[in-house]
Amino acid sequence: MDIDELIDDVISREGGYSNHPADRGGPTRWGITQAVARADGYAGDMRDFPRERAAALYAQRYWSRPRFDSVAKAAPRIAAELFDTGVNMGPKVATTFLQRALNALNRNARDYPDIAVDGMLGAQTSAALSAFLRIRGDRGETVLLKAIEALQGARYVDLAERRPANEAFLYGWLANRIGEPGG
């Protein structure tokens, strides 16, 4: 999938306007929270937030800025998962999942050195990903994707356990986010 397809998929999954009482994000349209829209300069009612503006925000804030576009060149399914996770949990959280998984899969730093788990996709994370994919091949991307999704799923359960109001979202998170779209 290219970024336009990923964005279309997220927008269709997120739907139109929502203002669920248990959602701390408040009014949301196309999956963009009011806080994100306001930070981008939008002052109108979220019911009227334009789809095109949501798509532009997704491309810039959740694809280019966190450098998931650079991951797509070597591991398109990983990049798609990072994008989707970043939309739902934030790009830094998505990147920490990648970093944690890469560290856990480096066979005690025999394959490549451990990297900082800082949520920033820099040179060390890119080098670790390249080394992992070179050593593990095509199957490696599948295994790394499973590790990222396992971390994501564990976080969803933790969020529901720590804040019971999040139980309203847990089923949907697991049904629509784990295994999508990178898996």
Side-chain angles (χ1 to χ4, degrees):
M1 286 189 162
D2 68 16
I3 186 56
D4 293 327
E5 291 172 310
L6 292 172
I7 290 170
D8 285 344
D9 186 51
V10 164
I11 287 175
S12 71
R13 189 173 337 120
E14 292 290 343
Y17 178 78
S18 171
N19 192 10
H20 193 287
D23 188 348
R24 290 181 173 170
T28 302
R29 178 150 170 118
W30 312 120
I32 301 293
T33 64
Q34 183 170 286
V36 169
R38 297 287 185 258
D40 189 56
Y42 181 75
D45 188 309
M46 286 305 291
R47 287 176 191 85
D48 302 322
F49 187 70
R51 186 188 190 287
E52 299 76 31
R53 194 154 183 179
L57 272 169
Y58 282 130
Q60 195 275 328
R61 191 174 182 132
Y62 300 97
W63 184 251
S64 299
R65 186 187 298 168
R67 302 190 60 231
F68 297 155
D69 55 340
S70 68
V71 173
K73 295 170 187 158
R77 292 184 301 148
I78 299 296
E81 184 61 40
L82 294 174
F83 169 76
D84 189 65
T85 302
V87 164
N88 195 249
M89 297 183 165
K92 281 192 165 209
V93 172
T95 303
T96 64
F97 291 164
L98 171 64
Q99 292 166 330
R100 288 176 62 198
L102 285 168
N103 283 343
L105 290 166
N106 71 359
R107 295 189 283 186
N108 296 309
R110 283 192 320 233
D111 291 341
Y112 48 87
D114 279 341
I115 54 177
V117 180
D118 60 5
M120 305 299 292
L121 211 160
Q124 289 182 343
T125 302
S126 295
L129 176 61
S130 293
F132 175 81
L133 294 171
R134 185 180 65 253
I135 292 162
R136 295 297 189 170
D138 292 337
R139 181 91 172 117
E141 185 176 4
T142 300
V143 171
L144 183 57
L145 185 61
K146 287 179 181 185
I148 292 167
E149 289 176 342
L151 291 166
Q152 182 184 15
R155 182 173 168 122
Y156 285 135
V157 171
D158 183 58
L159 289 170
E161 288 174 339
R162 285 188 293 139
R163 182 174 178 258
N166 284 335
E167 287 185 14
F169 308 113
L170 181 60
Y171 183 88
W173 287 336
L174 294 172
N176 297 312
R177 295 292 180 177
I178 304 299
E180 300 285 334

